């Protein structure tokens, strides 16, 4: 999603920028516990009380996550408000000074420079210190919850850069929101708090050690993302749904939509017939909405698709040509300056003056060339943080804006927002799309009023259509489902619009999906992330595990020579992460029978602690390794190169029995792809061993083997693997 | 959950009424497709367009489900209103007549007889025609979505009886609601519509044949339940959540709660600090609620637990002594008459007169002994359908009720509702618990007002506490989670109370769970349903598949003698539903290697169509069986007794290769119980084959093997199996 993510190792020669490629650099998270002997022993040793304590500490951690996320959101809010306040105050003073004496170009330059300066700071810290903090962070969190380990996405440094970055970009007047970064922040907080230590700060509090594994961490990260949504939109239930939609392995989105559809029809039918029975036909809560849903949200779906396509091309351009940090910073500054210039020009050439009423809610009303007691209406939209502009557009009485202002604003802001998303700054797309939607909604409301015979539209219908527009554009861009409705309902505090909002979202999604995927999905694809959707492609019953799996597989014996293990792990050309452990079949040079699965990370820890069986001596000399050793090393296991194994040690043996997962999930090789997919996805697997009828290893299915297949225009397509 | 459910085969001698027993009469649904050759061939033959058509027909079906469910809800609403209207009109006339001339006992008798008559009709159709329609139906739907096949729960007959039954019980003045039955109705509609035929009416529309299997049907039933919730409460999003909470295999309820907790804390923290920053500390949306949540919802949790315990004893009593249909009808009539009598006595002895204002919203204000222009306040609570009583309690201005009225009402209604739930009538517990909560909330509000120094409580706080009470008692009784919050928010149309409502529910749940389980879970347990919770008991790592599984397993060979199959299927002592298919291991009398799994239902269809291989002749003579034959027989497969197999045919062979599922999920015998459980639950399995390292069958894990283990007061407990 972020071009900068690709900068990991300098500037790779071949950058995957094609959605037909799958990158191999992303590893999977292991949502399936490795139930080895150590783990089982610990679980069996633990009393019922022990489990209760664990349960309580989970609640405590969730409380902490919520608290810290709220605090961070609060800091961002306050910082943005103050910085933007200072900026607009300075610029306003300047404009007022020069309006009379002439020479407004100085004001323009001041504004542009201020913007560019803020944006520069924001872009520099992102581009040079932590490229992972770029963008909204929502695609990354989506991937993380899907089970893909995006490098450095939940680190403390990312959090710091993200928070500072978003403050700078919003204060810098970019067409961005701060909601996405808040969600990302919540996730980082969760990943940190739940581990009871900070690897970056080298501080271990020696608590919550039980939670140091992917399974538990992912659960907490989903809580963190929910807390972020909750802080960003004031929508706790929406937050939960967001996390579940993205995180729950078995949440079937299509099914959810269908269920919702049935629910809506049911409520509607009931209300319709009851209203007829009560002799007030048409007295539904919002009658005109069915029409609205049919037509205008089609348009929103189209607009959203247009936004996504433009942004898609832009992103490809960026991946190809704007991948140096300094270029990225310069682009961001350019956008900042252009935003200021365009805004200024808009305000300057607009002659839409509105009286400054006593109920004036503008923070920085610009008089400019208007008469005394009036203000420039265009300035309420442009000379403000996007969030406040939304509020103005929504709350100002009808007639505050003339159609020309609105249409110019909508058009300009659409392209600005589209250009801005994907810049190397920390920023979200929610508020801009809401803003465009709101402006467009107002515009359409005015047009509608001028067409209708009596020249007026009911306030209720007008407001609803505003909500509808705001949501539908957002929906058209991001294509989220149930959670979006609930977030909108909670954010607006008005449940009445829930039904129309959902209808609008549904239409926008269907129309938009016809042309192009959602914005987040586009960015995920462009990064070649092996993202697993809920189900295998419909027409993939042709494929079986035999065709899908990777083979041959590197296997280890139960008792394996250290040298062999080191060699396999050091082989950068294969770079496998999981190895079946086998029992050799007597009198045969075939593959052995599978008896376990061991992970690279486990082997690394074993090698680091030199858990070798000196064949000659008794086993008693072996240092007894604890689960704690594995947990201490989690999640940043050292690379194999950093572990020194002497020539003597290479001849030693290692007994893997105790450490391997003795009951890995296996499937026969005739299993169909949808079946393999279901198992993999439902259990959150990282490796699935494929066996023959004799229980011998014939292959291994990993995430990239499954993510390779997708449904194209002409049926099933297979993606290529990229090595970057 | 319904004593009447046990009446299946007359009156069984040994009735399981102990939650330590597991009944064997409940079969599992198969959420895992049997991917046999026929199925794969069909899937592979289907084009991309074919899958699109299927997708569209799924939407059409969901639309139909919503429409029909809404229509049914509408019918129930109208019928109840009219019947109750007639009843109350007649009784009111009568009371008015006799108030002056004396002899009100005649009115009492009239009222009681009318009630008893309605209830009698409702109870008779339930007890004699369709015992499965008793109660709210929510526990049955919960079980169905969990994967348990409750006999006759989604039949047309059940729907008809349910609808008529609930109309009678509400019109009969029982302390019941019509919401639960609406949810059940939605589920039945879904099960019917999605199959494109009615087995009861012997009408096959020859459409939607693809959906004639458990997997698809269960998905549609969850849509139907959602549509039911939506129609009952006007809460489409709440409906979706209800279905997902109950239906989604991988919805982790504890995790959901924790995520929600984190979200809430986050919003709260943000608001708190921002309010300090804005120098308006304490200006949260609802300040006093934290206290409210702490204390009063404890009490609600306790009250809910008390309700559940009382009802638990009552249900055990009913299972033991009131299991004849005629007794059940008599009990229902008794309750109907007693409800009328108690209500009458309450109204008679109350002297709480309130002026009849112009904004009077009462439908049947009773003047009784009040002065002209006044009405009896107790009557607004008792002389009305429960739903309207809730509305009165909620909307009447403060001061409409005196404390004595309210406390008497709360107390009486609590016991009436508790007695009523579990009667052999079609009825729900939602409205009664809301009613008690509302009355109690009003009472507490008055008490609070009399204690506070200035003698007044803010209206906002008062209303919130009302909502809080209403919800908390409901929450204390049924212990549902997220969906309840959303339903309440949607039903009230006010999102502001969302946060406090959730807080209250959380507390009520924690307090209540300390004493006893939720009402629905109690009833599920009392029916000895093998219900699978989300996770295996925490301390069950001790157990492995070897200890849990059923062994020895009856296996079939790929080509098996018809006589053997018939004998195995006819053996009523084992009554297995799934059989591993094995390849014999040469030179060994051990179990063979597993190569497939075949279901009883599939074998029955094969036997019915006499798909025998005449060994001597060529295979070509064999009638080619289609997937359609299996679909036509679904879901009511004939019993083995109804299939005649001649002595000659017994000597024939059957080739199972084409029909068995060739890739059943298997686990090694060392797999721990939690791991088995996870696999079973996440994939919605019915049979899980346990194999040794040579891939030989050693056992079979089914639902009852897993449901047997639960966490008691003293750690892990094992339930006994009951044969009924």
């Amino acid at each position: 999603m972020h071009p900068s993510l690709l900068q990991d190792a300098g500037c790779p020669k071949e950058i995957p920028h094609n959605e037909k490629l799958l990158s191999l650099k992303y590893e999977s998270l292991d949502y399936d516990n490795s139930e080895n002997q150590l783990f089982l022993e610990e679980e069996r040793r633990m009393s019922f009380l022990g489990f209760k304590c664990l349960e309580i500490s989970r609640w405590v951690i969730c409380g902490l996550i919520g608290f810290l996320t709220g605090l961070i959101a609060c800091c961002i809010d306050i910082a943005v408000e103050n910085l933007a306040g200072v900026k607009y105050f300075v610029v306003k003073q300047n404009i007022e000074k020069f309006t009379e004496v002439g020479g407004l170009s100085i004001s323009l330059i001041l504004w542009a420079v201020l913007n560019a300066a803020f944006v520069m700071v924001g872009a520099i810290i992102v581009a040079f210190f932590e490229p992972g903090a770029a963008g909204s962070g929502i695609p990354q969190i989506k991937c993380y919850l899907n089970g893909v380990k995006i490098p450095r996405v939940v680190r403390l440094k990312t959090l710091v850069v993200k928070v500072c970055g978003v403050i700078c970009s919003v204060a810098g007047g970019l067409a961005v929101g701060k909601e996405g970064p808040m969600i990302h922040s919540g996730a980082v907080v969760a990943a940190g708090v739940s581990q009871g230590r900070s690897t970056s700060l080298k501080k271990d509090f020696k608590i919550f050690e039980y939670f140091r594994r992917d399974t538990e961490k992912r659960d907490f990260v989903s809580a963190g993302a929910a807390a972020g949504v909750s802080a960003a939109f004031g929508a706790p239930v929406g937050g939960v749904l967001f996390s579940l939609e993205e995180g729950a392995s078995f949440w079937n989105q299509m099914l959810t939509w269908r269920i919702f559809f049935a629910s809506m029809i049911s409520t509607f039918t009931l209300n319709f017939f009851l209203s007829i029975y009560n002799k007030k036909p048409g007295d539904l809560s919002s009658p005109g909405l069915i029409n609205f849903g049919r037509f205008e949200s089609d348009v929103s779906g189209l607009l959203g698709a247009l936004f996504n396509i433009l942004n898609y091309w832009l992103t490809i351009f960026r991946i190809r040509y704007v991948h140096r940090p300094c270029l990225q910073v310069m682009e961001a500054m350019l956008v900042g300056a252009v935003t200021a210039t365009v805004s200024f020009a808009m305000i300057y050439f607009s002659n839409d003056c509105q009286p400054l009423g006593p109920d004036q809610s503008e923070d920085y009303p610009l008089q400019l060339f208007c008469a005394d007691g009036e203000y420039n209406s265009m300035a309420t939209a442009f000379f403000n943080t996007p969030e406040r502009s939304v509020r103005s557009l929504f709350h100002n009485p009808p007639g505050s804006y003339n159609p020309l202002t609105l249409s110019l604003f909508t058009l300009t802001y659409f392209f600005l927002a589209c250009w801005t998303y994907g810049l190397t700054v920390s920023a979200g797309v929610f508020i801009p799309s809401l803003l465009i939607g709101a402006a467009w909604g107002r515009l359409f409301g005015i047009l509608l009023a001028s067409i209708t015979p009596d020249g007026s539209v009911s306030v209720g219908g007008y407001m609803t259509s505003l909500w509808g527009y705001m949501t539908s554009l957002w929906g058209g861009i991001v294509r989220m489902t149930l959670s979006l409705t609930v977030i909108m309902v909670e954010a607006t505090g008005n449940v009445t619009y829930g039904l129309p909002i959902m209808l609008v979202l549904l239409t926008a999604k269907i129309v938009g999906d016809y042309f192009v995927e959602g914005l987040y999905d586009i960015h995920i694809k462009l990064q070649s992330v092996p993202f697993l959707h809920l189900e295998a492609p419909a027409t993939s019953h042709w494929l079986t595990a035999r065709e899908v799996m990777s083979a041959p597989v590197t296997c280890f014996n139960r008792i394996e020579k250290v040298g062999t293990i080191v060699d396999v792990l050091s082989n950068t050309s294969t770079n496998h992460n999981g190895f079946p452990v086998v029992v050799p079949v007597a009198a045969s040079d075939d593959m052995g029978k599978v008896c376990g699965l061991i992970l690279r990370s486990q082997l690394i820890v074993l090698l680091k602690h030199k858990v070798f069986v000196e064949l000659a001596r008794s086993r008693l000399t072996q240092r007894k390794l604890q689960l704690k050793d594995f947990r201490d090393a989690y999640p940043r296991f050292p690379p194999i190169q950093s572990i020194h194994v002497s020539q003597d040690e290479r001849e030693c043996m290692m007994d893997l029995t105790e450490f391997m997962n003795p009951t890995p999930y296996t499937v026969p090789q005739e299993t169909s792809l949808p079946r393999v997919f279901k198992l993999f996805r439902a259990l959150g697997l990282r490796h699935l061993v494929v066996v023959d009828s004799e229980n011998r290893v014939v292959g291994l299915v990993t995430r990239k083997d499954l993510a390779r297949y997708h449904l194209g225009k002409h049926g099933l397509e297979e993606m290529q693997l990229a090595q970057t």
Side-chain angles (χ1 to χ4, degrees), chain A residues 10 24 35 40 45 69 77 184 222 232-233 312 336 378 546 564 611 644 674 695 699 712:
Chain A
L24 288 187
E35 293 206 336
L40 284 177
R45 233 180 296 125
T69 308
D77 271 356
H184 191 169
S222 60
F233 305 110
Y312 169 73
M378 188 68 106
R546 192 188 294 113
T564 318
V611 188
H644 180 71
N695 222 11

Side-chain angles (χ1 to χ4, degrees), chain A residues 616-628:
Chain A
R617 288 189 240 155
S618 115
R619 278 209 187 185
L620 291 172
T621 59
Q622 185 186 329
R623 179 190 179 296
K624 176 77 179 159
L625 215 60
Q626 301 284 313
L627 212 48
K628 192 180 169 306

Side-chain angles (χ1 to χ4, degrees), chain A residues 20-24 528-531 704 707-708 719-722:
Chain A
K20 296 273 156 68
L21 283 177
L22 263 198
S23 173
L24 288 187
S528 308
V529 176
F531 191 87
K704 66 162 201 318
R708 252 188 316 155
M719 290 194 245
Q720 300 301 312
L721 297 179

Side-chain angles (χ1 to χ4, degrees), chain A residues 621-641:
Chain A
T621 59
Q622 185 186 329
R623 179 190 179 296
K624 176 77 179 159
L625 215 60
Q626 301 284 313
L627 212 48
K628 192 180 169 306
D629 298 303
F630 292 94
R631 284 181 182 150
D632 284 345
Y634 177 84
R636 304 192 201 169
F637 297 100
I640 181 72
Q641 290 76 17

Side-chain angles (χ1 to χ4, degrees), chain A residues 11 23 31 47 52 90 96 127 208 300 441 479 714:
Chain A
C11 281
S23 173
Y31 201 63
S47 65
K52 275 265 168 247
V90 169
E96 273 166 9
F208 308 145
S300 290
R479 314 275 165 77
H714 312 288

Side-chain angles (χ1 to χ4, degrees), chain A residues 400-598:
Chain A
S400 301
Y401 302 91
N402 75 36
L404 187 69
T405 311
L406 285 172
S407 44
L408 275 175
F409 176 77
T410 310
L411 203 70
T412 330
Y413 215 79
F414 182 84
F415 289 107
L416 277 179
C418 190
W419 189 9
T420 308
Y421 189 77
L423 278 184
T424 317
V425 293
S426 167
V429 76
F430 169 66
I431 288 288
S433 58
L434 223 54
L435 186 51
I436 301 166
W440 192 47
R442 275 226 164 204
L443 178 65
F444 197 81
I446 294 171
L447 293 182
L448 211 67
S450 66
I451 294 166
T452 42
D454 57 348
S456 74
V457 176
S458 76
V459 178
Y462 182 68
M463 294 298 279
T464 326
S465 90
L466 250 182
W467 278 123
Y469 279 104
M470 288 170 65
T471 321
S472 64
L473 189 68
W474 190 27
I477 292 175
V478 303
R479 314 275 165 77
M480 276 157 68
T481 57
L482 201 64
S483 52
L484 208 62
T485 320
V486 178
I487 288 174
M488 281 308 276
V489 167
E490 284 190 295
T492 63
N494 195 327
V495 85
T496 328
Y497 302 146
L499 211 68
I501 282 176
M502 197 71 195
L503 211 66
V504 158
L505 281 179
L506 191 64
T507 325
K509 185 181 161 68
I510 291 173
V511 173
D513 275 350
Y514 184 77
F515 296 99
V516 66
E517 284 180 287
L519 188 62
Y520 298 143
D521 295 310
I522 287 180
H523 280 257
I524 288 172
K525 266 199 171 177
L526 278 176
Q527 291 299 311
S528 308
V529 176
F531 191 87
L532 287 192
H533 293 275
L534 187 100
E535 277 178 336
T539 53
S540 61
H541 273 99
W542 287 103
L543 293 165
T544 64
R546 192 188 294 113
E547 283 126 359
V548 168
M549 71 191 183
S550 310
V553 187
T554 318
C555 294
F556 289 129
N557 290 314
R558 237 177 223 277
I559 301 198
E560 186 62 86
K561 226 176 105 190
V562 173
T564 318
I565 293 179
V566 172
D567 290 342
V568 168
L569 291 188
S570 311
N571 184 346
T572 50
S573 75
T574 54
N575 206 23
H576 291 153
N577 278 301
F579 306 92
V581 181
V582 293
V583 180
V585 181
S588 150
D589 55 353
D590 273 358
M591 280 292 195
K593 282 181 199 297
V594 60
C595 71
L597 184 82
I598 196 150

Side-chain angles (χ1 to χ4, degrees), chain A residues 660-724:
Chain A
M660 70 187 190
N661 179 359
T663 52
Y665 293 113
T666 59
V667 286
Q669 41 187 340
E670 300 84 29
T671 316
S672 70
L673 176 59
R675 207 172 165 80
V676 172
F677 200 100
K678 196 178 163 199
L679 182 69
F680 208 89
R681 183 80 165 82
L683 299 175
L685 297 184
R686 189 173 174 188
H687 302 101
L688 180 61
V689 183
V690 182
V691 295
D692 64 7
S693 65
E694 303 289 318
N695 222 11
R696 284 176 304 210
V697 180
V698 290
L700 199 64
V701 176
T702 60
R703 173 177 287 267
K704 66 162 201 318
D705 298 318
L706 296 178
R708 252 188 316 155
Y709 299 94
H710 73 120
L711 218 50
K713 297 262 173 217
H714 312 288
L716 203 63
E717 290 175 9
E718 201 180 327
M719 290 194 245
Q720 300 301 312
L721 297 179
Q723 287 300 325
T724 47

